[in-house]
Amino acid sequence: MTSSPSSQVINQNFNCCSQSFHNNTKEVLLDKLSNTSTGFHDLTIAPKITYFYDRTTELNTLSHWLIDQNARLISVLGLSGIGKTTLVKQFVDLNLQHFDIIIWKNIKLSPSLDYILTEILTSINPDSILADNKLTQILNLFRDKKCLIILDDVQELMIKGQFAGHYQSEYRDYQTFFTMITETEHKSSLILISQEKCQEMISLDQELYPVQCLDLERLQDIEILRNYGLLEQENRSRLIELYEGNPAYLNLTEHSLIITESIKLRLNQIFERLSLIEQEILIELSQDNHPVSREQLRERLSLSSIDLINGLDSLNRRYLINIIQFDQILFSVSPVIREYIKVCCHQQK
């Protein structure tokens, strides 16, 4: 199999950097890890799970990818509040024994890649850090030990007000990092938790690139409402339908579709990330209680065909629209998004 030009450049740089890695430092680091029989786990900022609802299929999928296949880059994606972080934490709690090192980081708290790499290396052995070649040190660690690194809130690396998946200029080094994770031989894994999908999260050829993507769909388990003490049995399914099985919304409501201040704040943060084109499309889609076609949207909106296509694609990458395949492709938004836009538009008038 012929390596891609980018792979060759990365591998050449990696091999060059590897030669400059101090063997003594590496030996000290690995000796410390080998003396830790239970492994090294830094889950200080990982969430504590109060309830965990039926995600058995998703847990099995993660286990297959991470333990059986040794996938190097996995993204867990979905709308805010759908349970991405909870799912990953549940997997970690159940599978501590399969990894030598597990470290959980949140981009909101420390967005700099250099800072995150320094924290990871320092937490394992503060005496082993070299000022240069931290990527090389991390990849050497990934090759010698089975590590699991979780990066939460990866959407914070992306530019607000543009289509989904475009890195802010100061965080483009993450692209190199993610590429090296997939194209360099090692036995470790990186999990990205995000509200929007970037190109690095998409596997064009799973045989060539060990990248997997788990799109988290809504919960169907009515136990979530029973635990919140909500309604009689016959009304629970209706609430799940209205709120699209999103735990972050279901624990704040009562008898019907209501946009609480907490839900509004969560959706405000999502809406602020959108480009003007996406906002325009989303507002138009919210005018209908039924799905509409791209042609119908084109007739209603003063957008070029390319802007409409890109806007719909970006909204799909953010999990804000539903795509329905009948005789033609149709688009719709959830009842929560529709009601939120109506409430916001009413308040602005």
Side-chain angles (χ1 to χ4, degrees):
M1 179 179 65
T2 303
S3 301
S4 65
S6 62
S7 174
Q8 293 172 356
V9 171
I10 288 173
N11 287 333
Q12 289 169 4
N13 291 337
F14 174 70
N15 291 331
C16 180
C17 291
S18 295
Q19 295 172 2
S20 66
F21 185 78
H22 293 183
N23 290 330
N24 290 338
T25 301
K26 179 181 176 184
E27 289 173 2
V28 169
L29 173 60
L30 296 178
D31 181 64
K32 177 176 180 179
L33 292 173
S34 63
N35 291 330
T36 307
S37 59
T38 58
F40 179 86
H41 304 148
D42 181 2
L43 302 174
T44 308
I45 61 173
K48 179 181 179 181
I49 299 177
T50 305
Y51 296 112
F52 186 79
Y53 303 98
D54 185 20
R55 293 285 192 189
T56 303
T57 300
E58 291 87 348
L59 283 173
N60 289 338
T61 298
L62 288 178
S63 295
H64 178 61
W65 289 345
L66 288 162
I67 298 172
D68 300 332
Q69 291 188 337
N70 192 35
R72 295 175 203 155
L73 184 66
I74 291 176
S75 53
V76 179
L77 303 162
L79 193 62
S80 172
I82 202 67
K84 303 180 296 295
T85 299
T86 300
L87 172 68
V88 175
K89 180 55 163 53
Q90 181 74 354
F91 169 81
V92 169
D93 289 345
L94 295 173
N95 294 280
L96 293 173
Q97 72 279 10
H98 291 289
F99 301 93
D100 301 317
I101 299 170
I102 302 177
I103 297 178
W104 190 296
K105 293 296 178 184
N106 191 300
I107 299 297
K108 284 185 177 180
L109 301 179
S110 49
S112 163
L113 177 60
D114 182 77
Y115 185 77
I116 285 179
L117 296 183
T118 300
E119 278 193 325
I120 292 173
L121 293 167
T122 303
S123 63
I124 297 171
N125 187 353
D127 300 324
S128 69
I129 307 303
L130 301 176
D132 299 323
N133 301 327
K134 289 175 186 174
L135 276 176
T136 302
Q137 296 177 65
I138 286 289
L139 288 167
N140 275 321
L141 179 63
F142 285 4
R143 188 174 60 244
D144 292 312
K145 293 290 179 179
K146 188 170 179 59
C147 305
L148 177 63
I149 308 298
I150 299 99
L151 298 183
D152 202 353
D153 283 315
V154 173
Q155 74 278 349
E156 297 299 320
L157 301 175
M158 309 304 166
I159 304 174
K160 293 182 180 180
Q162 293 192 16
F163 291 142
H166 294 280
Y167 290 88
Q168 299 180 52
S169 58
E170 61 266 40
Y171 302 135
R172 286 177 185 158
D173 52 353
Y174 277 92
Q175 291 179 284
T176 302
F177 178 50
F178 297 155
T179 300
M180 293 179 77
I181 290 296
T182 60
E183 297 190 353
T184 305
E185 288 296 331
H186 58 82
K187 55 185 177 182
S188 299
S189 301
L190 180 66
I191 297 180
L192 310 179
I193 305 174
S194 180
Q195 297 174 25
E196 61 185 78
K197 185 185 298 183
C198 63
Q199 191 60 42
E200 288 74 30
M201 299 175 182
I202 303 172
S203 177
L204 300 179
D205 188 336
Q206 293 183 1
E207 292 185 1
L208 294 177
Y209 299 101
V211 179
Q212 297 286 0
C213 180
L214 179 59
D215 295 325
L216 218 55
E217 298 181 351
R218 66 184 189 178
L219 282 168
Q220 299 288 349
D221 190 354
I222 63 173
E223 283 298 313
I224 188 172
L225 296 181
R226 182 177 292 116
N227 286 332
Y228 294 141
L230 294 174
L231 298 180
E232 296 79 9
Q233 179 77 26
E234 61 270 17
N235 292 318
R236 290 178 182 148
S237 296
R238 178 175 176 272
L239 269 185
I240 287 179
E241 188 68 27
L242 283 175
Y243 288 92
E244 294 213 317
N246 191 315
Y249 303 155
L250 287 168
N251 71 341
L252 298 170
T253 187
E254 292 186 5
H255 301 285
S256 59
L257 182 57
I258 300 172
I259 303 300
T260 65
E261 284 301 309
S262 180
I263 293 176
K264 181 181 175 183
L265 177 61
R266 186 181 290 269
L267 291 176
N268 281 345
Q269 294 172 347
I270 293 173
F271 206 76
E272 289 169 359
R273 299 191 65 84
L274 305 183
S275 65
L276 292 177
I277 291 173
E278 290 172 287
Q279 292 180 9
E280 189 175 349
I281 294 172
L282 210 57
I283 290 171
E284 186 59 42
L285 283 172
S286 297
Q287 306 307 308
D288 292 279
N289 292 325
H290 55 81
V292 299
S293 66
R294 185 182 294 144
E295 289 69 27
Q296 289 173 309
L297 286 172
R298 187 179 291 112
E299 292 174 359
R300 300 181 192 177
L301 298 171
S302 300
L303 295 175
S304 66
S305 295
I306 190 63
D307 281 345
L308 180 59
I309 291 172
N310 287 336
L312 288 169
D313 177 66
S314 185
L315 286 170
N316 185 44
R317 284 175 178 243
R318 300 184 198 272
Y319 304 91
L320 290 174
I321 58 174
N322 303 314
I323 300 179
I324 306 164
Q325 184 84 49
F326 287 125
D327 294 334
Q328 58 181 333
I329 298 176
L330 301 176
F331 305 90
S332 68
V333 296
S334 71
V336 175
I337 296 292
R338 187 183 302 118
E339 186 65 20
Y340 163 77
I341 289 177
K342 288 180 181 178
V343 169
C344 289
C345 290
H346 176 73
Q347 290 177 347
Q348 292 174 0
K349 290 181 180 180

